[in-house]
């Protein structure tokens, strides 16, 4: 059986979030030097009544706790949806090396859409960004989740 990719692990976190009634977004932070998963999380905004409990925020918090460091240089974030402004800000402050995301988010995204936070002159750290990885699968999770709500 092949080793799961970081994005497949993020998609698994997104599916688990959907089963909890959360918007299906998942995130995984990986050390690219050895492929070790440092942290993984899915959205928990509804269950924890916390608007900041996005998958990326939870994964960043868990990775900082696991490493004992307030910043995460050299680590990569894989997330199923283009990060929003809040998450993009946290990614910058955490100094993550690279962000790989699945589905683009023209409405709420802040990396390739909206404020394009990493391109702003006031952005202290801009990670490498790769979008559209497993985009079809990530978008289908979101589409199916919201279709079921209607």
């Amino acid at each position: 059986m092949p080793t799961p990719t970081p994005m497949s692990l993020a998609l698994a976190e997104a599916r688990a979030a959907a089963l909890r009634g959360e918007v299906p977004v998942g995130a995984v932070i990986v050390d690219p030097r050895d492929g070790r998963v440092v942290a993984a999380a899915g959205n928990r905004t509804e269950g924890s009544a916390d608007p900041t409990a996005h998958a990326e925020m939870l994964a960043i918090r868990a990775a900082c706790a696991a490493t004992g460091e307030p910043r995460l240089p050299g680590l990569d974030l894989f997330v199923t949806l283009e990060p929003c402004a809040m998450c993009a800000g946290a990614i910058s402050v955490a100094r993550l090396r690279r962000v790989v995301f699945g589905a683009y988010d023209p409405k709420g995204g802040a990396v390739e859409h909206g404020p394009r936070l990493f391109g702003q002159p006031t952005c202290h750290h801009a990670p490498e960004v790769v979008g559209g990885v497993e985009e079809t699968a990530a978008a289908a999770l979101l589409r199916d989740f919201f279709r079921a709500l209607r």
Side-chain angles (χ1 to χ4, degrees), residues 39-118:
N43 273 0
R44 289 193 177 271
T45 57
E46 300 299 324
S48 61
D50 178 358
T52 70
H54 289 194
E56 302 96 316
M57 300 293 284
L58 297 174
I60 289 169
R61 290 175 193 154
C64 288
T67 63
E69 298 292 335
R71 285 168 287 287
L72 305 167
L75 300 184
D76 296 346
L77 170 70
F78 291 78
V79 60
T80 58
L81 182 64
E82 177 183 349
C84 71
M86 174 183 66
C87 294
I91 289 163
S92 177
V93 172
R95 297 189 185 129
L96 285 157
R97 181 182 82 103
R98 182 169 61 160
V99 175
V100 178
F101 68 85
Y104 289 86
D105 187 358
K107 186 175 176 181
V111 175
E112 298 289 338
H113 295 90
R116 299 176 190 250
L117 189 81
F118 301 140

Side-chain angles (χ1 to χ4, degrees), residues 15-40:
R15 285 190 288 278
L19 291 173
R20 294 190 302 272
E22 302 280 354
V23 173
V25 177
V28 175
I29 295 179
V30 174
D31 186 331
R33 294 170 293 195
D34 59 11
R36 178 177 56 93
V37 173
V38 179

